[in-house]
Amino acid sequence: MPEGTVLKTEEFVEALALVKPALARRAFIPIHTKFKFGDGRVEAFNEVIGASALCPCGISGCVDGALMFDLVSSVKRSKVRITESDGSILVKGGKSRFELPIEDDSSAFNVRDAIVDPYAEIKVTEEVLQAISLCAISASSDTSTPQFMGITIIGDGESLKIYSTDFSSFSRASVNVDEHKEFRITVPIDFFSTMLSVAQKFGEDEDGVYGTLCISDISVDDPQNRDVIWFEIEDVEYFLYARTLSIKQPPNYEAVFRQHMNSLPKPVKIPKGLGGALDRVLILNRSLGFDRTLSELSVEDGVLKITAESGDNHVKDSFDLRDPDHPDVSVKIHPLLVNRVFDNCSEFCVGEKAILFRNSVDFIHFIATHVDTTGGEDEDDDS
């Protein structure tokens, strides 16, 4: 009997792909760039997230993750044979073969050791996925302002309130869940980006559930307490975990939300054709090499106008809002920020400090505007 373990190439690549998002992009800490094999599983972890998936490849140790993934992905045969011997692994697929060093994993972190008894368990339904996905649009990854990084989830005993901001935009979503415990956590965006991708890959079960989001035993009164959040799909024994972010002075997102809502007019239906107008503005901006050039957006006598220009090049469009009560206003916007959320919403309104987009009362997205208060150059609004 030939030695080694035979796996379908496609299944092997899929197992590696499940944990690949947890590989560090830079080798500051070498173990963070490795796949860790053992006990019929493959794991990867970095300073932000860790992932673990089934992978019965018969080897034990740590291997250069990115290199191994690329090499295995390049194999054209339907099956590969994996053999471990004398500090290396040999992978054969037909006439293709490659050998990589394998290191001892005794000092490597075990991702599954992070899984403890949960304080709160949330069934991840389509509604939960959509709420997180929409708030991910404005999630910040700026390490200089950790209090605003990632996505903040607040459980109030009846629903989840989900918030994010990158200072140019602000998102808030609300979704009802069966979990009735109170908590507040801020989670790195890398965790949710990976969770969304994996959940969509495996799909929902017969009960409409994609997996379970679990939060470790936390202190509601101590927002500085760093706890563990993890996502698991029990049927395929997949785990994804992250440490929550430590926030010394957590922002009062609900107060920001109320402040903006109280300053804006009643939302109206997004006019048909506005998406095409935004596309034309972005085409003009990109022809100049700029995605974030400001464009003028105004409402006058119930007519919305969007304008962009550069030299002799002009883009102008106008739309009847069918609501003469919308206040007259003229602001400048980053069309790219509008375009990234536009397709997910059905209503909007324009104010001097922000534009509001929403698809229902459960998802609301604000985009900061820029008002010309000097009669000359644009001045960014800090609110």
Side-chain angles (χ1 to χ4, degrees):
M1 179 177 179
E3 62 179 6
T5 302
V6 176
L7 293 177
K8 291 182 178 180
T9 306
E10 182 180 3
E11 293 179 357
F12 191 25
V13 172
E14 287 181 353
L16 299 180
L18 285 172
V19 303
K20 185 173 179 284
L23 291 175
R25 297 176 181 87
R26 297 180 179 87
F28 294 125
I29 302 177
I31 193 63
H32 288 172
T33 65
K34 312 288 186 180
F35 285 140
K36 174 178 175 287
F37 295 94
D39 300 325
R41 305 187 67 83
V42 60
E43 299 185 344
F45 59 94
N46 57 37
E47 65 278 4
V48 179
I49 64 173
S52 177
L54 289 175
C55 185
C57 60
I59 61 176
S60 179
C62 298
V63 182
D64 186 307
L67 181 58
M68 184 176 192
F69 180 83
D70 290 343
L71 288 173
V72 174
S73 298
S74 71
V75 175
K76 304 303 180 185
R77 296 296 294 267
S78 62
K79 293 182 179 180
V80 293
R81 182 181 299 277
I82 307 157
T83 307
E84 179 182 353
S85 177
D86 297 328
S88 66
I89 60 167
L90 177 65
V91 180
K92 295 182 180 180
K95 294 183 179 180
S96 302
R97 57 180 287 164
F98 61 88
E99 190 171 357
L100 294 174
I102 187 166
E103 302 171 4
D104 177 67
D105 66 351
S106 59
S107 62
F109 174 67
N110 188 338
V111 170
R112 286 167 294 159
D113 287 345
I115 309 305
V116 296
D117 291 335
Y119 166 79
E121 295 180 274
I122 301 162
K123 293 179 180 179
V124 179
T125 60
E126 183 64 35
E127 291 76 17
V128 173
L129 275 187
Q130 183 183 32
I132 293 173
S133 177
L134 290 171
C135 285
I137 293 172
S138 55
S140 172
S141 58
D142 184 356
T143 57
S144 68
T145 54
Q147 68 271 32
F148 295 106
M149 282 182 64
I151 294 177
T152 294
I153 300 181
I154 299 176
D156 62 9
E158 296 180 356
S159 64
L160 300 181
K161 297 290 191 303
I162 305 171
Y163 303 91
S164 66
T165 182
D166 57 6
F167 301 103
S168 295
S169 61
F170 174 88
S171 294
R172 176 191 186 267
S174 177
V175 58
N176 292 326
V177 293
D178 292 333
E179 178 55 75
H180 300 301
K181 293 180 180 177
E182 297 182 0
F183 58 87
R184 174 179 180 137
I185 56 172
T186 300
V187 183
I189 185 59
D190 285 357
F191 173 86
F192 283 123
S193 297
T194 304
M195 187 194 86
L196 291 169
S197 175
V198 171
Q200 292 295 347
K201 171 182 171 56
F202 286 108
E204 59 189 9
D205 63 19
E206 58 184 12
D207 297 320
V209 177
Y210 288 85
T212 306
L213 196 61
C214 303
I215 303 164
S216 64
D217 192 6
I218 68 173
S219 169
V220 176
D221 298 326
D222 182 11
Q224 297 183 44
N225 186 21
R226 293 191 66 189
D227 299 289
V228 174
I229 183 171
W230 68 96
F231 172 69
E232 63 179 88
I233 305 177
E234 187 173 357
D235 290 346
V236 296
E237 296 187 43
Y238 171 83
F239 301 93
L240 173 72
Y241 97 100
R243 288 281 182 184
T244 60
L245 297 171
S246 179
I247 310 297
K248 292 183 179 181
Q249 295 181 326
N252 189 340
Y253 285 122
E254 193 64 17
V256 174
F257 167 73
R258 295 297 176 191
Q259 179 183 2
H260 280 301
M261 287 297 294
N262 292 336
S263 67
L264 288 166
K266 178 183 176 181
V268 298
K269 186 177 180 180
I270 294 176
K272 185 178 180 180
L274 181 57
L278 289 168
D279 288 340
R280 288 186 286 276
V281 168
L282 286 171
I283 290 170
L284 176 60
N285 289 348
R286 286 167 181 163
S287 72
L288 305 171
F290 301 104
D291 271 347
R292 288 182 172 255
T293 302
L294 294 177
S295 300
E296 185 176 352
L297 190 72
S298 64
V299 177
E300 185 175 0
D301 296 330
V303 176
L304 173 70
K305 296 181 180 180
I306 183 168
T307 305
E309 59 182 55
S310 176
D312 295 331
N313 301 314
H314 301 267
V315 172
K316 295 182 180 180
D317 283 279
S318 61
F319 306 90
D320 185 356
L321 294 182
R322 303 184 184 279
D323 185 354
D325 294 329
H326 192 294
D328 292 351
V329 64
S330 179
V331 297
K332 292 197 174 182
I333 61 165
H334 288 303
L336 185 64
L337 300 182
V338 177
N339 202 55
R340 67 182 185 178
V341 73
F342 175 82
D343 289 338
N344 297 300
C345 298
S346 57
E347 296 181 322
F348 87 119
C349 61
V350 183
E352 289 189 352
K353 294 185 177 181
I355 302 174
L356 177 150
F357 284 90
R358 73 180 185 187
N359 64 358
S360 66
V361 295
D362 295 328
F363 173 69
I364 292 178
H365 184 83
F366 301 104
I367 299 173
T369 60
H370 304 256
V371 183
D372 185 357
T373 59
T374 65
E377 297 182 355
D378 298 319
E379 198 171 274
D380 286 8
D381 194 295
D382 293 330
S383 62

